[in-house]
Amino acid sequence: MPERAPFTTHEVENQVPPLEGRNLFEDNAPLVEALEREGGGWARERAREVGAAWGADPIRWGFEANENPPRLKTFDRYGNRIDEVEFHRAWHDLMGLALSHELHSLPWTSSRQGAHAARTALYLTAAQAEGGFACPITMTFAAIPALRAQPELAARWEPRLTATEYDPVLRRVGGSESDKRCALCGMAMTEKQGGSDVRANTTVARALAGGRGEYELTGHKWFCSAPMCDLFLVLAQAPEGITCFALPRILPDGTRNAMHLQRLKDKLGNRSNASSEIELHGAWAQLVGEPGRGVPTIIEMVGHTRLDCVIGTAAGMRWGVANATWHAAYRRAFGKRLADQPLMGNVLADLCIESEAATALAMRLARAYDEASHDERARDLKRLATAVGKYWVCKRGPGHAFEALECLGGNGYVEESGMPRLYREMPLSSIWEGSGNVMALDVLRALSRGAGGGWSPAGLPRRARRVGRRRSAARRVRRVAAHAVRRP
Ligand SMILES: Cc1cc2nc3c(=O)[nH]c(=O)nc-3n(C[C@H](O)[C@H](O)[C@H](O)COP(=O)(O)OP(=O)(O)OC[C@H]3O[C@@H](n4cnc5c(N)ncnc54)[C@H](O)[C@@H]3O)c2cc1C
């Protein structure tokens, strides 16, 4: 009789080895090709390093940071208000690696053409391991072009917002601004009565004496993610109308600004990241851009955030494909590997095509961001394709994640596979910064303002007809184009 350990009734067979220790960039052939094609080929080696790094420990950190979500500490043990959020060590590890790889800063610090394409490839690689940390990374990245509307503020904050050494120690009351090597930036626009319609904001801005662009903000924000950021771009009602402000969490003299954390959201996904509700009780803030021009000022931040929603979703799709194909390559059913079962081949092919398309779109979009400063057509494409891409790619994300999860069968439904976390994360990119309908309306707005190389809603049928006539277009694309002509 062979010796068996107690309670062992069987050999474990036909289970799939863990998907670990892979290079998340090199494994992703469509991304490798797109990096060359879209002008970021010079970052190839960096992307390989990032791929190797994020395919190792960060996958475990992602699990740990989600199993140990952030905790709000409103008061200290003596009853003093502290308004702090405590994170697990794994969260700080993720943030530290992200900053060291310049996911938040590369296009703002590099003078090389193709820096957006390079950063997109790095971000799309890293965000496969975990999605939550990407929120403050994106907001910090996206804040820079908006902050540049106020050059003296940008000069003061940009060096720290683009710094690559993460400082996990909160800058506590009493410290000076120079204590901290790096800074992170969040955004606070959404209020209880409306998020899409920010013109309905009720937070009030009162100008302080002296005319130096200093204000006091009073009101609330219903969603304010990553509340441990050092700076927030906030919309509030000034006498001239909705205006954009820069609000530091800790004031220049080291005291805490009057920004109070009410509670943290209990969210569907994105649980490693803290999203808070806040109140501003006469909080000190500085003007960004012109009074009354808050929406056009913050739109730069919004646009770059929407770009990252596309990239982040493409990253999630890629991770779904990696897990589904890995599983199907090892798991056997009915005498064959799952990957060799014809129907499973169809499912995997559909998943791959959708993921590759999202990657190609994200990278092409990044190139438009690279070229927009000197090319009018790129500027039009950036404006239009950000809205279309944010709508389409992010809307497809949850369904894609579900199909990938199902490829793993019951194992995919279990938390340890990571697939439930991916599935729960996916709807966020569609909701955040312009939910589906809002993006659809934004496409019309872009067209009516002439973006898309002179496109207009009225000109859409002509454009669609042209696509429909292209011999190279797949039959399905031609059919959709014909449909668009009938019902523009
Ligand atoms: C996890 C998470 C983190 C977030 N973090 C932040 C943050 O850090 N800072 C911040 O400012 N916000 C944040 N948000 C808020 C987010 O940006 C808003 O939830 C989003 O913009 C939608 O606003 P709303 O929730 O008020 O929905 P509403 O504006 O009420 O919209 C509800 C629905 O109506 C649709 N709709 C709206 N207008 C129209 C229209 N004219 N025609 C047809 N349909 C329409 C929308 O598409 C949506 O589906 C966060 C949200 C989430 C879920």
Side-chain angles (χ1 to χ4, degrees):
M1 285 282 283
E3 265 195 32
R4 286 188 183 277
F7 310 117
T8 303
T9 59
H10 59 281
E11 298 295 328
V12 177
E13 284 174 358
N14 199 23
Q15 288 284 12
V16 173
L19 176 53
E20 285 170 3
R22 306 290 309 181
N23 187 310
L24 300 185
F25 174 70
E26 277 179 349
D27 278 1
N28 190 354
L31 182 61
V32 173
E33 286 167 20
L35 182 61
E36 302 294 329
R37 189 172 64 240
E38 307 302 356
W42 51 267
R44 198 176 312 119
E45 262 321 301
R46 276 182 76 153
R48 280 202 189 104
E49 284 166 25
V50 168
W54 286 85
D57 290 339
I59 294 180
R60 178 171 45 81
W61 297 341
F63 279 98
E64 288 171 358
N66 281 276
E67 283 158 12
N68 301 280
R71 286 193 315 151
L72 176 61
K73 291 193 78 175
T74 323
F75 298 95
D76 69 8
R77 59 184 283 207
Y78 305 106
N80 298 307
R81 185 133 201 165
I82 53 171
D83 291 296
E84 286 182 1
V85 180
E86 265 183 7
F87 290 90
H88 188 262
R89 182 194 42 77
W91 168 266
H92 296 301
D93 290 340
L94 288 161
M95 291 298 294
L97 196 61
L99 257 66
S100 74
H101 286 149
E102 297 182 88
L103 304 187
H104 63 309
S105 62
L106 188 60
W108 316 132
T109 52
S110 169
S111 54
R112 297 189 75 153
Q113 186 61 28
H116 273 288
R119 179 221 173 230
T120 297
L122 304 184
Y123 187 114
L124 204 155
T125 298
Q128 291 175 57
E130 146 71 3
F133 81 91
C135 169
I137 295 296
T138 283
M139 291 194 294
T140 303
F141 159 74
I144 298 284
L147 209 52
R148 285 179 178 173
Q150 205 65 44
E152 70 283 1
L153 265 186
R156 190 158 132 239
W157 281 96
E158 211 171 307
R160 284 198 292 140
L161 290 172
T162 55
T164 55
E165 284 181 304
Y166 178 61
D167 185 352
V169 180
L170 302 171
R171 195 164 68 82
R172 290 176 196 274
V173 175
S176 86
E177 221 172 67
S178 56
D179 287 351
K180 213 156 186 276
R181 291 187 298 272
C182 78
L184 298 170
C185 187
M187 59 162 81
M189 301 193 292
T190 307
E191 296 186 3
K192 287 175 183 161
Q193 69 283 352
S196 310
D197 186 5
V198 289
R199 287 179 197 278
N201 273 192
T202 57
T203 297
V204 173
R206 191 177 67 82
L208 295 175
R212 292 193 305 272
E214 296 177 22
Y215 286 74
E216 250 181 23
L217 308 191
T218 301
H220 81 280
K221 295 291 165 183
W222 184 228
F223 278 92
C224 177
S225 288
M228 286 294 96
C229 282
D230 305 86
L231 185 70
F232 298 87
L233 293 194
V234 182
L235 289 184
Q237 295 283 1
E240 297 84 352
I242 282 283
T243 303
C244 183
F245 297 95
L247 182 149
R249 191 168 56 81
I250 305 288
L251 295 168
D253 67 2
T255 56
R256 188 180 303 108
N257 206 350
M259 165 181 159
H260 298 309
L261 309 187
Q262 303 298 100
R263 61 174 173 167
L264 298 187
K265 301 282 192 191
D266 184 7
K267 297 176 286 185
L268 168 69
N270 193 253
R271 297 183 75 88
S272 62
N273 178 34
S275 298
S276 66
E277 297 164 15
I278 63 170
E279 284 214 347
L280 305 172
H281 297 265
W284 181 82
Q286 287 172 291
L287 181 69
V288 183
E290 288 173 42
R293 303 274 304 154
V295 174
T297 303
I298 210 162
I299 206 74
E300 276 295 325
M301 182 170 190
V302 169
H304 286 79
T305 306
R306 289 173 177 172
L307 167 69
D308 273 16
C309 288
V310 178
I311 306 170
T313 304
M317 286 184 174
R318 169 62 206 170
W319 190 237
V321 161
N323 278 277
T325 52
W326 180 263
H327 186 87
Y330 287 96
R331 180 83 165 176
R332 299 179 72 82
F334 300 97
K336 281 184 183 171
R337 291 185 321 147
L338 281 177
D340 295 328
Q341 294 286 5
L343 261 184
M344 182 56 96
N346 287 353
V347 171
L348 294 175
D350 281 349
L351 286 173
C352 289
I353 288 169
E354 184 119 38
S355 162
E356 290 193 22
T359 296
L361 178 66
M363 290 297 294
R364 179 63 189 87
L365 198 48
R367 187 172 116 208
Y369 278 69
D370 277 320
E371 295 174 348
S373 61
H374 56 270
D375 180 339
E376 197 182 332
R377 285 174 65 90
R379 213 158 33 246
D380 286 338
L381 183 65
K382 170 185 163 190
R383 174 69 185 90
L384 191 58
T386 303
V388 174
K390 162 84 162 74
Y391 175 84
W392 183 255
V393 174
C394 300
K395 190 69 97 182
R396 301 288 297 178
H400 189 277
F402 163 59
E403 191 72 291
L405 180 156
E406 193 169 331
C407 290
L408 276 69
N411 286 344
Y413 200 71
V414 171
E415 287 292 341
E416 283 166 312
S417 71
M419 300 303 280
R421 174 151 62 91
L422 177 67
Y423 181 57
R424 287 194 300 268
E425 184 73 21
M426 279 295 201
L428 176 54
S429 289
S430 195
I431 292 171
W432 192 31
E433 263 336 320
S435 311
N437 287 350
V438 171
M439 294 320 303
L441 293 170
D442 195 47
V443 171
L444 290 181
R445 192 174 307 114
L447 288 172
S448 63
R449 291 190 183 165
W455 286 42
S456 66
L460 207 52
R462 184 170 46 82
R463 297 280 178 167
R465 231 177 283 132
R466 202 181 288 173
V467 173
R469 280 201 300 266
R470 293 279 292 252
R471 289 217 180 133
S472 57
R475 205 177 327 142
R476 192 153 161 242
V477 172
R478 286 204 294 269
R479 230 178 26 237
V480 170
H483 185 72
V485 173
R486 282 201 304 275
R487 302 177 60 187

